[in-house]
């Protein structure tokens, strides 16, 4: 009969400890959740997102501009509106064959 009483006490003490641990976990989980939600709200604010987007766009533009090539002195032809073929031939003569994604003439042809 004595072992039954001591077993009940052990079970009761374990239940108390489990209850205490459960309360601590619930309390800490709530405080952790509050911290995360406050920080996430600040991290995803509209001004911050706009700043990140602007910085990313500027970096993309800078990377694209690094690949630009300007060619001077190509002869102008009256019928030509797209100088891509001439530029491709010029690059071929230089033993370079980079892909040409866009090609435009800067400035209007003038008579005289």
């Amino acid at each position: 009969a004595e072992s039954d009483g001591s077993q009940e006490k052990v079970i009761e003490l374990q239940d108390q400890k489990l209850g205490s641990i459960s309360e601590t976990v619930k309390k800490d989980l709530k405080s952790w959740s509050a911290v995360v939600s406050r920080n996430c709200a600040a991290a995803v604010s509209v001004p911050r997102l706009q700043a990140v987007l602007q910085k990313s766009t500027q970096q993309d533009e800078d990377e694209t501009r690094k690949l630009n090539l300007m060619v001077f002195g190509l002869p102008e032809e009256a019928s030509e509106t797209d100088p891509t073929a001439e530029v491709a031939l010029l690059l071929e003569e230089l033993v370079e064959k980079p892909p040409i994604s866009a090609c435009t003439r800067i400035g209007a042809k003038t008579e005289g």
Side-chain angles (χ1 to χ4, degrees):
E2 286 181 33
S3 67
D4 289 336
S6 61
Q7 284 180 343
E8 287 177 10
K9 281 187 175 186
V10 168
I11 291 172
E12 186 178 322
L13 286 172
Q14 286 178 339
D15 285 343
Q16 287 176 355
K17 283 187 177 189
L18 284 175
S20 172
I21 291 170
S22 177
E23 288 300 315
T24 302
V25 167
K26 285 179 186 177
K27 178 184 154 210
D28 288 344
L29 189 60
K30 286 180 184 176
S31 63
W32 175 253
S33 174
V35 167
V36 168
S37 62
R38 277 195 309 267
N39 289 335
C40 285
V44 187
S45 67
V46 173
R48 185 163 184 166
L49 286 175
Q50 287 172 335
V52 168
L53 180 62
Q54 183 178 8
K55 184 176 181 180
S56 173
T57 304
Q58 183 64 41
Q59 286 174 345
D60 289 345
E61 186 176 325
D62 291 347
E63 288 298 315
T64 302
R65 285 179 179 250
K66 278 193 226 179
L67 302 174
N68 287 353
L69 172 69
M70 295 183 78
V71 178
F72 297 90
L74 283 181
E76 294 183 49
E77 295 186 21
S79 63
E80 186 181 347
T81 56
D82 183 18
T84 304
E86 273 189 75
V87 171
L89 283 172
L90 174 69
L91 291 173
E92 207 171 284
E93 286 180 31
L94 297 173
V95 192
E96 293 291 327
K97 293 185 181 181
I100 299 173
S101 60
C103 190
T104 56
R105 181 173 296 281
I106 299 175
K109 182 177 180 179
T110 56
E111 296 296 324

